[in-house]
Amino acid sequence: MSETGMPSRRRGRGRVSAEYVDDEAGPVVRLYALTKGRTRPSTPAFDLLAVVVATATELPALPDLGIHHRRLLVYVNTPKPVAEIASMAGLPIGVVRVLLGDLLDHGLILVRAPSPAAEPESDHLLHELISGLRAL
Amino acid sequence: MASGRSIRFKICVLLAAPLVTLIALWGFAAHVTTDESVDLLTVGTLHDSITGPAAALTAALSKEHLLTAEYLGTHSERGRVVLAGQRAEVDRARTRLRDLSAGALASLTPAMRTRFDDLTKKADRLDTVRAAADNGRIGQVALAQEFGQVPDAARRLAASMAVNGDATLVQESRGVTALTAAEDLLGRERALAAGALVANRRLSRAELRVFGRLAANRAFLVEQGVADLEPDLRALFAPLLAGPVQARFGAAEERLLAGDPRGLVSHAEWRTAADRAGAVYRDGLAKAATALTARARPTPTGTFARAGLAGAVGLVGIVVSLVVALRVGRGLAHELAALRAAAQDLAGVRLPRVVERLSRGEAVDVAAETPALEPLGNTREVHDVAIALDRARHTAVEAAVGQATLRETVGQAFSNLARRSQSLVQRQLRMLDDMQRRAEDPEALDALFRLDHLTTRMRRHAEGLIILSGGSPGRAWRRPVLAEDTLRAAVAEVEDYTRVRIYPMPGVTVAGGAVADLVHLFAELIENAAVFSPPNTEVSVRGERAGDDFTVQVEDRGLGLTPEEVAEINRKLETRPEFDLSDTDRLGLVVVGRLAAKHGLRVEFGVSPFGGTTVTVVLPHGLIEADPDAGPEDEQELVGAPGGRPEEGAGPG
């Protein structure tokens, strides 16, 4: 019975009077609409740790590039890894990869594979971990 | 009569026939009465102008008869001279009669005219008689006969003119006529006897026979005439019945008739007796005529007055009936015209207005909108019709109210069901959001996207039903939302959404409260464009500022609409289409019309230059809340919205 029950009508939240407000109303644009249903990026280069940086400041006026592409372009003003971009945009990683693929296709960004400089740090970390375990 | 005639015309026709008849009858009666009076007056005139000269001729002729008879007896020179003088007098009288004014003759009736002509003809014969007398080729008897013809004709003419209706007067004038004839007979008697006596001879057998007949006739006429008179007039003729004059004349007459045993009556004696008797006649008749004329005069004037009075009363009656008829007729026509006006107003203006407002769901004060017809007129039937109309009005309004209530109830039921479905779909979409966020595998995400698309369309249909039932989708955002996001959301609700391309547009935002409605409206328009265009073509959505307003164009590459269809659709959109359950093909159009009316949007279909259809939607200034500079807004978003929940759809704050 609770399934068919009406949501309680909420009033007094600002000037809006409706059953579903803001979060409850859900996102204005569904995710599939951002990518036109695409789930695979044009390139497999967008590893979680891959760093993306913008090569242009302005988004060209092209029909295939919308407001969300522009937002991502703003985020990568400074080089950022893909995982951080997704977190900032509040979008699933799969969707972000598709959108970044669009930007890459138009030559608006550069992608760098995960930094090799990080590897020694991880070796050191692993050694520390091993020695710590041995000490137990 | 043709059914197209007005009641005013029919009433006029109804009244005209009796009124015309009445007027005709009155005219006829007035004519007859007046004519009769005119007749009487004419007769009076005739009596004066014709009978007078005729009587003068008769009197002169009587004397000529006497003188002629005496001349025949004596053949004296003196007698001839006297006779010639008398003949001249007769001729004058005859000429006067013949020269009667044409006016007097014209007013004679044909019968009178015949008798008048007869009289003049007889008078003309006189010349032959005179010639015979001068030659001595005529006897006393023949002479008496010839001279009797003019008086007889004159009397017949006089009799034809006596038409007075008064019984007493008729009787008296009959008496006078008889006495006039008696006087004439006396004259003939006198002349006949005088003609013999002057020659100092007895009356011959033939003369005696004529004399006797004349005497007897005269006596009879006197008796009859006097009996017909009223006592006052009768006294005038008393000497003719008794007294010295009658005794003397009677004795002379007796002696002549008896063959004269005591010797011959002298000529002088006869003349004296006869002249005296004649004088009595003359005086009596003159007085009687005067008296009778005086008595008859008032009659024609009285008749005339009566005729005038009757005519006037009749005229007044006709005027009164005319006025009454016109007033009643006009009153009736006015009442009916007022009734017709009231009925037409009710049927053509008031009832449709009330029904229309009820069907729009407006609250209508039924009593105030269709006030009872004022009690119309004082004719019972008209009044009854007005009451019947009033009842019909009441019933019609009740039916309309009932229908509106039913519609509202049905709408509420639909709305209720749709909201339940919407509630479930909303929950499902939230679950899908979570699942999509966790999905790493593109395959899984793809499946979730498909599911999401289906669910979003389910929500759209549920919301469409709510809008049709008069409700609102019930989703709202407190912050303005970018127009581009709104349009993208609309595209997402369309089945074939991948064909739709949104072109770059200015960063305009729309009021958060209207977003759900706008998404729904554009979804209908874009869906329409996608359905009516080939699958491989693009449906383009463009937005641009137009002054203070914002214009969105949805264009397809389909077959397009004919100008008539375009005009028809635009007309429907303008008049705010009603939810007609029988026309399910047009439901999308109804939704668009309602939402456009709700937010003051102008939606116009047109023919695209590329052959398809272009729909232009103008968002009014009031709906566009801000014109944010995209850059800084996005920075704010960047800082303010990295919360736990995804906010990708929310516009900049």
Side-chain angles (χ1 to χ4, degrees):
Chain A
M1 196 64 203
S2 64
E3 283 174 2
T4 56
M6 294 282 293
S8 62
R9 185 177 281 264
R10 301 189 186 181
R11 291 184 187 278
R13 290 187 60 177
R15 58 202 164 83
V16 178
S17 150
E19 284 87 349
Y20 311 99
V21 181
D22 289 349
D23 290 356
E24 285 179 43
V28 173
V29 185
R30 303 299 305 171
L31 291 175
Y32 63 87
L34 296 180
T35 66
K36 287 203 171 181
R38 290 169 297 159
T39 52
R40 289 171 215 281
S42 52
T43 167
F46 297 112
D47 186 82
L48 271 180
L49 295 177
V51 175
V52 178
V53 68
T55 60
T57 48
E58 279 293 314
L59 193 73
L62 291 169
D64 290 333
L65 301 179
I67 188 84
H68 297 278
H69 291 99
R70 200 180 65 184
R71 281 181 191 144
L72 292 187
L73 195 63
V74 170
Y75 293 155
V76 295
N77 245 339
T78 53
K80 284 191 182 67
V82 171
E84 191 183 340
I85 297 167
S87 166
M88 284 178 82
L91 293 172
I93 191 75
V95 173
V96 170
R97 276 179 178 142
V98 174
L99 296 179
L100 286 176
D102 291 342
L103 291 175
L104 187 67
D105 290 348
H106 285 92
L108 299 169
I109 53 171
L110 283 177
V111 188
R112 232 180 337 146
S115 169
E119 275 176 31
E121 284 178 36
S122 30
D123 282 351
H124 176 71
L125 195 67
L126 283 172
H127 286 303
E128 291 254 313
L129 186 62
I130 292 167
S131 57
L133 285 169
R134 281 182 185 159
L136 288 172
Chain B
M1 206 170 293
S3 58
R5 305 279 196 199
S6 71
I7 191 128
R8 186 183 292 270
F9 176 81
K10 289 188 176 180
I11 288 175
C12 284
V13 169
L14 201 66
L15 293 178
L19 279 176
V20 166
T21 313
L22 189 61
I23 290 170
L25 275 177
W26 170 79
F28 179 69
H31 177 72
V32 167
T33 320
T34 319
D35 247 21
E36 198 176 302
S37 312
V38 170
D39 269 358
L40 284 175
L41 283 180
T42 313
V43 167
T45 317
L46 285 179
H47 200 272
D48 293 344
S49 60
I50 295 177
T51 319
L57 176 65
T58 311
L61 213 57
S62 180
K63 195 158 185 198
E64 186 187 332
H65 183 198
L66 175 66
L67 294 176
T68 310
E70 285 178 348
Y71 176 71
L72 282 179
T74 57
H75 288 288
S76 68
E77 189 57 26
R78 189 174 156 271
R80 202 175 57 78
V81 172
V82 175
L83 177 61
Q86 184 61 32
R87 276 180 180 170
E89 197 180 315
V90 168
D91 285 345
R92 277 197 300 279
R94 194 169 59 171
T95 310
R96 214 167 66 223
L97 184 69
R98 209 183 281 141
D99 296 349
L100 273 177
S101 70
L105 293 180
S107 55
L108 291 179
T109 63
M112 292 181 191
R113 183 71 204 200
T114 312
R115 295 187 176 187
F116 179 79
D117 291 344
D118 185 46
L119 172 63
T120 50
K121 210 168 73 195
K122 294 279 164 54
D124 290 342
R125 252 183 76 83
L126 219 52
D127 297 324
T128 326
V129 178
R130 282 173 182 171
D134 289 345
N135 296 337
R137 282 191 280 113
I138 191 166
Q140 294 290 349
V141 173
L143 199 67
Q145 230 160 21
E146 290 292 346
F147 275 101
Q149 288 195 0
V150 171
D152 284 345
R155 216 166 38 246
R156 280 198 294 274
L157 175 63
S160 74
M161 294 193 294
V163 293
N164 199 302
D166 190 319
T168 317
L169 268 180
V170 168
Q171 188 188 337
E172 287 202 286
S173 44
R174 201 172 59 208
V176 170
T177 307
L179 286 166
T180 310
E183 186 198 11
D184 178 49
L185 292 184
L186 174 71
R188 286 190 230 175
E189 259 185 85
R190 181 182 63 174
L192 187 63
L197 292 177
V198 79
N200 220 8
R201 67 169 172 85
R202 291 168 190 270
L203 275 70
S204 67
R205 286 181 68 87
E207 285 167 353
L208 206 59
R209 203 163 51 243
V210 172
F211 186 83
R213 205 169 62 229
L214 289 173
N217 282 352
R218 187 188 52 78
F220 172 75
L221 285 171
V222 168
E223 199 181 324
Q224 286 291 309
V226 171
D228 277 341
L229 294 179
E230 291 291 297
D232 54 337
L233 293 180
R234 199 180 295 163
L236 294 170
F237 299 97
L240 298 179
L241 301 173
V245 176
Q246 166 58 20
R248 189 165 175 187
F249 178 73
E253 203 179 38
E254 278 298 313
R255 277 169 62 197
L256 283 171
L257 281 172
D260 216 20
R262 289 172 292 151
L264 209 59
V265 178
S266 75
H267 174 253
E269 194 181 344
W270 170 245
R271 279 288 300 270
T272 312
D275 286 352
R276 281 187 186 163
V280 172
Y281 279 108
R282 209 162 43 243
D283 289 353
L285 284 172
K287 282 177 185 161
T290 311
L292 275 186
T293 308
R295 218 177 284 173
R297 274 291 175 223
T299 309
T301 44
T303 313
F304 210 62
R306 270 208 309 279
L309 189 67
V313 169
L315 189 62
V316 167
I318 282 176
V319 168
V320 166
S321 39
L322 252 177
V323 168
V324 168
L326 280 179
R327 283 186 67 111
V328 170
R330 195 190 297 167
L332 197 58
H334 274 169
E335 281 179 27
L336 288 170
L339 180 66
R340 180 177 66 175
Q344 282 175 342
D345 180 50
L346 182 66
V349 181
R350 287 172 182 276
L351 270 184
R353 198 167 59 202
V354 169
V355 170
E356 189 197 331
R357 289 182 54 188
L358 281 172
S359 68
R360 279 209 303 263
E362 290 179 29
V364 172
D365 184 355
V366 172
E369 274 301 319
T370 58
L373 296 173
E374 304 100 50
L376 275 164
N378 43 21
T379 311
R380 201 173 60 220
E381 285 82 355
V382 174
H383 194 72
D384 289 351
V385 171
I387 289 174
L389 262 179
D390 211 34
R391 283 194 194 136
R393 170 195 66 85
H394 199 249
T395 311
V397 171
E398 270 186 352
V401 169
Q403 204 189 8
T405 313
L406 180 67
R407 193 186 295 223
E408 202 175 322
T409 315
V410 170
Q412 275 171 358
F414 279 152
S415 180
N416 211 346
L417 287 173
R419 280 189 196 286
R420 291 178 184 188
S421 200
Q422 188 196 23
S423 155
L424 293 176
V425 169
Q426 280 293 105
R427 283 164 64 181
Q428 189 170 324
L429 283 172
R430 225 173 295 161
M431 288 170 69
L432 280 168
D433 274 341
D434 288 344
M435 289 167 79
Q436 284 167 11
R437 222 158 274 287
R438 284 198 299 268
E440 296 278 341
D441 179 20
E443 297 282 344
L445 189 58
D446 188 56
L448 286 174
F449 274 3
R450 288 174 197 280
L451 200 54
D452 197 340
H453 186 209
L454 287 174
T455 314
T456 305
R457 279 157 59 205
M458 278 167 64
R459 180 178 68 185
R460 177 181 151 214
H461 293 312
E463 287 181 355
L465 200 49
I466 292 172
I467 291 168
L468 283 177
S469 315
S472 81
R475 287 190 298 138
W477 288 267
R478 277 175 294 175
R479 290 182 296 178
V481 175
L482 272 173
E484 188 181 329
D485 276 340
T486 309
L487 290 170
R488 205 173 291 280
V491 170
E493 294 192 351
V494 174
E495 180 176 6
D496 207 1
Y497 73 100
T498 51
R499 277 172 52 207
V500 184
R501 184 175 261 182
I502 297 174
Y503 284 79
M505 60 182 67
V508 172
T509 63
V510 296
V515 167
D517 284 341
L518 290 176
V519 166
H520 208 94
L521 181 140
F522 284 115
E524 292 290 351
L525 295 176
I526 294 167
E527 173 92 75
N528 194 57
V531 167
F532 289 104
S533 60
N536 53 348
T537 58
E538 174 190 305
V539 173
S540 50
V541 179
R542 291 183 175 83
E544 59 185 2
R545 296 214 63 135
D548 286 342
D549 303 332
F550 189 72
T551 307
V552 177
Q553 273 196 337
V554 178
E555 186 179 349
D556 66 52
R557 303 285 167 86
L559 290 174
L561 298 164
T562 65
E564 290 77 28
E565 286 169 328
V566 168
E568 167 74 7
I569 290 174
N570 285 334
R571 194 186 58 74
K572 282 203 169 171
L573 285 173
E574 231 167 78
T575 52
R576 185 182 168 166
E578 284 307 316
F579 178 21
D580 183 1
L581 286 171
S582 64
D583 189 8
T584 47
D585 291 346
R586 300 276 188 181
L587 286 184
L589 203 60
V590 175
V591 169
V592 169
R594 288 208 172 179
L595 293 175
K598 182 176 171 185
H599 294 291
L601 309 178
R602 214 174 63 219
V603 180
E604 200 174 318
F605 276 66
V607 177
S608 158
F610 302 107
T613 304
T614 306
V615 188
T616 309
V617 182
V618 179
L619 278 66
H621 174 61
L623 218 52
I624 307 166
E625 286 209 338
D627 187 8
D629 187 4
E633 297 286 339
D634 277 331
E635 294 301 331
Q636 280 181 15
E637 158 97 2
L638 210 156
V639 176
R645 284 204 68 85
E647 283 274 320
E648 74 271 34

